[in-house]
Amino acid sequence: MAADLVSSIIYAFAALFVILDPILSVPIFAGMTKGQTSKEIHKQAFIAVAVAGILMYIFLVFNTAIFNVLGLTLSTFQVAGGILLFLLGMEMALGIDLCKSKDSMPTAAGVVIGTPILCGPGAITTVMLLSKDYGILVPFIAITLCLAVTWIILYYSAAIQNILGTVITDIMGRVLGMLVAAIAIKIIFSGIIGTLGLPIVI
């Protein structure tokens, strides 16, 4: 029984970790927190993990009830999240600020990394599927472990950036910006198809 529980937790952790992909967030996070002090960066890391964690725990417990109450579907959530992600991708790729004001800058990195980068439609869907298959306990433990590892990675993002170098990080950030924009378009497209109830043509 214990062996089955451990294997289930490992599987759930692996599935969530791949979806969250905190390694991918490092150059994005480093770019958005560039020029901030270590204390501010560590604060942003905590905010990012807290935002992602709160969302995942909420959807783990309440599942689709939240969407039902608001009259929404996962597809409409995908469209909204995809648009935000696309704007972020444009900012990263072009090195411009589209939606940032001076007042929102201090917490912008943490919130945007928290969602939709870490906890987007894919992560939410994965959490709901895991809760359906394993109940609450297994995905709860897996989410907690993933958040802990993610926090450590973001906490030391400055050190990771120093190892990679500013030039490499900048190049990676712009390339990842294009990839993020492309992923966003795919998410938006999937959301529109799902909203309209059309068959997906591959």
Side-chain angles (χ1 to χ4, degrees), residues 72-136:
L72 303 175
T73 64
L74 184 61
S75 297
T76 55
F77 183 82
Q78 283 181 301
V79 175
I83 292 173
L84 293 176
L85 204 57
F86 179 80
L87 292 175
L88 174 62
M90 289 296 95
E91 288 184 346
M92 292 169 56
L94 301 178
I96 58 177
D97 291 342
L98 295 175
C99 308
K100 297 177 183 176
S101 64
K102 292 181 179 179
D103 294 334
S104 64
M105 277 298 291
T107 58
V111 174
V112 173
I113 294 296
T115 183
I117 294 181
L118 288 175
C119 184
I124 290 173
T125 303
T126 302
V127 167
M128 290 192 295
L129 290 175
L130 288 173
S131 67
K132 181 180 178 181
D133 294 337
Y134 298 104
I136 300 295

Side-chain angles (χ1 to χ4, degrees), residues 1-111:
M1 187 68 179
D4 292 337
L5 177 62
V6 172
S7 62
S8 297
I9 292 173
I10 293 174
Y11 172 79
F13 170 82
L16 282 172
F17 189 80
V18 169
I19 295 295
L20 293 178
D21 197 1
I23 302 297
L24 175 66
S25 301
V26 169
I28 303 174
F29 184 76
M32 294 187 72
T33 56
K34 187 176 181 180
Q36 295 186 13
T37 64
S38 295
K39 183 178 180 179
E40 291 172 334
I41 292 174
H42 295 163
K43 180 181 178 181
Q44 298 309 309
F46 175 78
I47 292 174
V49 172
V51 169
I54 290 171
L55 286 174
M56 286 192 288
Y57 286 132
I58 287 175
F59 280 98
L60 173 63
V61 175
F62 296 102
N63 218 290
T64 56
I66 298 174
F67 288 145
N68 295 334
V69 170
L70 297 175
L72 303 175
T73 64
L74 184 61
S75 297
T76 55
F77 183 82
Q78 283 181 301
V79 175
I83 292 173
L84 293 176
L85 204 57
F86 179 80
L87 292 175
L88 174 62
M90 289 296 95
E91 288 184 346
M92 292 169 56
L94 301 178
I96 58 177
D97 291 342
L98 295 175
C99 308
K100 297 177 183 176
S101 64
K102 292 181 179 179
D103 294 334
S104 64
M105 277 298 291
T107 58
V111 174

Side-chain angles (χ1 to χ4, degrees), residues 102-171:
K102 292 181 179 179
D103 294 334
S104 64
M105 277 298 291
T107 58
V111 174
V112 173
I113 294 296
T115 183
I117 294 181
L118 288 175
C119 184
I124 290 173
T125 303
T126 302
V127 167
M128 290 192 295
L129 290 175
L130 288 173
S131 67
K132 181 180 178 181
D133 294 337
Y134 298 104
I136 300 295
L137 180 61
V138 169
F140 180 88
I141 296 174
I143 290 172
T144 303
L145 292 174
C146 280
L147 291 175
V149 174
T150 299
W151 178 78
I152 292 172
I153 291 173
L154 294 181
Y155 188 89
Y156 292 104
S157 61
I160 296 174
Q161 182 185 16
N162 290 334
I163 294 174
L164 294 176
T166 304
V167 176
I168 294 178
T169 303
D170 184 58
I171 293 173

